[in-house]
Amino acid sequence: MAAPVLKESVGLRYFTFFYLYVMQGIPSGFALTAVYNYLIGKGLTAEAVGSFAAIVGIPWTFQFVWGPLIDKYQYSVIGHRKQWVVLTQLVAMLVSLSLLLIHDPVAQLPLMSGLFFVHSIFASIQDASVDAIAIEVTPEAERGRVNGLMRAGYLMGISFGAAVLSYLLHRYGFHQAALTQSLILLALTVLTFFIRLDRHDQLIPRFGARQTREEAAQNPSLRWLFKTLYHSVTETRSLRLFGIIALVYLCAGLFGRAYSFHLIHSLHWPDSDVSILQGSWGSLATLVLLVGGGMISDRVGAGRLQRWVMLGLGIFLLGFSSLYFLWHYKGVGTAGLLLTNMADPCFSVAALPALMALCQAKVEGSQFTTYMALVNFCDVLSAKLNGWALGVTTAPVLGIICGTIVLVLVVVLQRLSKQQVTPPLSVHSS
């Protein structure tokens, strides 16, 4: 019996997009949780660790550069856009190995930041390629579940990078943590090589072979691509929906980083405890919510689920920040950390299918990566703003401000959804 292929097998789609996002999450959890908290624990300022997080995240903010390139040269005999995934996974793994040059993360902070920056460049190209493939091969009726599994995979990767690699970092040193990450990335790259998107795809590329006219026609011209992309992204409905989503991501990221810094810097929690909590119990609970949320999204619609999640997030930020005088209790502080850790992935399972639905054929990679680049910019901006904001205010105040903004956005989104379902009034001339 022939091996299953991605376009024909639901189970293979679920498995593939899950593990591809695990692969993306591990370096993110290592850099932005384990190493981030480690640097706070070593006494670096909020501004210094915020700059580190911003440097790591910057390449993800210009994913829109990779999208048109990936869509322009999407054809491949090994599977449309798969060549981009395999190549960037391989280079990202090699860059991960170069982290073995780091002996002291604090003393070599500029070098470490630079290496994570280069890794993020290739990881962001991989992410853009995977997203484009997911939109192309996944039927609309499955997108909620696929997005749930993608975010669950990303969360599991972050959990491993945050908890396991943090443990290795503190117990055996930076070298052991970096080597473990690199070996896992290598194993998953080999796995990607053997997965076929379509039954006619080859495993080995044809080196030196010229494309036929039919093959070349599958690659759109750059002029058509940019023109279509511009119209798709600047369409009024697209701008309104994405603007709301971007602001929610900004608020969630800002409070999440402020709260972690508050626990380590002000309440003197060990940074390893914060990393392990973020990567263990909170992630297990969020995994259940993500898988269930994907099913709910397909059943009730991404728009409705998005409003529900935003309402819950806004109420949590306002309520929990108002109870800041209880944060010093271990149980309260732990519960707040776990719930904060759930904000981004739970919102993503509703927001990303809504963004996918806006994407047009042939430019789906470019359009979706443009959206994700701006979402990632919000994450980088939250890291930078956090370093500045904590110099003039406190984490509880930031939580109240962010919660208020999210609740206002719920009202705006509700009004926009009513406008879309209400038919325009007919005007008759007398």
Side-chain angles (χ1 to χ4, degrees):
M1 186 174 66
V5 297
L6 209 60
K7 286 187 176 181
E8 301 174 9
S9 173
V10 175
L12 184 61
R13 284 197 292 270
Y14 290 168
F15 168 74
T16 300
F17 292 121
F18 176 81
Y19 93 76
L20 284 172
Y21 266 76
V22 170
M23 192 175 185
Q24 293 179 33
I26 291 174
S28 180
F30 181 44
L32 298 178
T33 300
V35 176
Y36 180 87
N37 291 340
Y38 175 84
L39 295 176
I40 297 175
K42 289 297 182 180
L44 272 68
T45 64
E47 184 176 0
V49 294
S51 295
F52 166 74
I55 290 171
V56 175
I58 283 174
W60 295 89
T61 67
F62 48 80
Q63 273 186 303
F64 62 88
V65 175
W66 317 131
L69 187 63
I70 292 166
D71 282 340
K72 168 60 180 172
Y73 300 104
Q74 60 185 262
Y75 173 81
S76 173
V77 295
I78 66 172
H80 286 14
R81 302 185 179 93
K82 181 185 171 183
Q83 76 277 19
W84 291 103
V85 179
V86 175
L87 178 63
T88 52
Q89 284 180 348
L90 181 61
V91 177
M93 183 276 298
L94 294 175
V95 177
S96 178
L97 273 176
S98 69
L99 289 171
L100 297 177
L101 296 172
I102 304 299
H103 304 287
D104 183 344
V106 176
Q108 296 176 280
L109 181 59
L111 175 60
M112 182 178 67
S113 301
L115 291 175
F116 275 120
F117 174 85
V118 175
H119 180 276
S120 293
I121 291 176
F122 292 97
S124 67
I125 302 174
Q126 174 201 344
D127 177 65
S129 308
V130 170
D131 287 341
I133 292 173
I135 296 172
E136 180 183 357
V137 306
T138 305
E140 190 170 349
E142 293 178 18
R143 285 180 177 174
R145 279 162 287 180
V146 166
N147 268 286
L149 288 168
M150 288 162 73
R151 299 308 296 181
Y154 187 63
L155 180 68
M156 290 299 96
I158 288 178
S159 301
F160 185 91
V164 178
L165 296 187
S166 176
Y167 172 80
L168 294 176
L169 173 62
H170 286 84
R171 183 70 182 270
Y172 300 105
F174 188 85
H175 269 220
Q176 187 62 49
L179 180 60
T180 300
Q181 172 182 273
S182 301
L183 293 176
I184 294 173
L185 296 183
L186 174 60
L188 295 179
T189 299
V190 173
L191 178 59
T192 303
F193 179 81
F194 288 101
I195 291 179
R196 293 193 299 164
L197 277 62
D198 191 87
R199 192 157 300 281
H200 302 292
D201 292 342
Q202 303 175 17
L203 287 178
I204 305 299
R206 298 180 315 198
F207 295 103
R210 297 186 64 179
Q211 288 184 344
T212 65
R213 289 185 177 181
E214 292 77 13
E215 293 171 347
Q218 298 184 54
N219 293 325
S221 69
L222 282 176
R223 179 179 179 182
W224 178 89
L225 197 154
F226 278 108
K227 182 179 179 180
T228 305
L229 176 62
Y230 174 79
H231 287 299
S232 299
V233 172
T234 57
E235 191 267 330
T236 302
R237 178 170 172 265
S238 175
L239 286 175
R240 288 175 176 173
L241 178 60
F242 179 75
I244 292 172
I245 290 173
L247 282 174
V248 174
Y249 274 114
L250 179 63
C251 291
L254 185 58
F255 178 73
R257 285 193 168 87
Y259 184 63
S260 296
F261 188 87
H262 181 86
L263 291 178
I264 298 171
H265 187 266
S266 301
L267 299 183
H268 308 294
W269 284 32
D271 66 275
S272 58
D273 288 359
V274 174
S275 296
I276 291 172
L277 275 173
Q278 288 175 313
S280 56
W281 297 110
S283 295
L284 289 174
T286 308
L287 175 62
V288 175
L289 289 174
L290 281 172
V291 176
M295 297 178 182
I296 294 172
S297 178
D298 286 336
R299 184 176 295 272
V300 305
R304 182 178 297 178
L305 182 60
Q306 182 183 341
R307 294 192 295 272
W308 292 352
V309 175
M310 287 171 59
L311 180 62
L313 176 61
I315 293 173
F316 163 71
L317 290 175
L318 276 177
F320 185 68
S321 299
S322 300
L323 298 174
Y324 69 92
F325 52 88
L326 299 176
W327 288 5
H328 65 280
Y329 291 108
K330 196 75 173 181
V332 175
T334 299
L337 186 64
L338 300 184
L339 290 171
T340 300
N341 206 47
M342 296 179 185
D344 181 291
C346 288
F347 180 64
S348 295
V349 80
L352 297 190
L355 292 178
M356 280 185 171
L358 298 174
C359 297
Q360 294 193 25
K362 285 289 186 179
V363 297
E364 57 266 87
S366 303
Q367 189 170 349
F368 193 72
T369 51
T370 298
Y371 291 139
M372 295 312 298
L374 293 171
V375 166
N376 294 326
F377 174 75
C378 291
D379 186 59
V380 172
L381 183 61
S382 72
K384 198 64 180 176
L385 286 177
N386 178 63
W388 168 81
L390 289 181
V392 297
T393 187
T394 62
V397 173
L398 286 177
I400 291 173
I401 294 172
C402 291
T404 302
I405 292 174
V406 172
L407 291 179
V408 170
L409 292 175
V410 173
V411 176
V412 174
L413 187 60
Q414 179 68 24
R415 290 183 176 179
L416 289 177
S417 65
K418 288 182 178 179
Q419 290 176 6
Q420 291 171 10
V421 299
T422 302
L425 296 175
S426 299
V427 179
H428 301 281
S429 57
S430 56

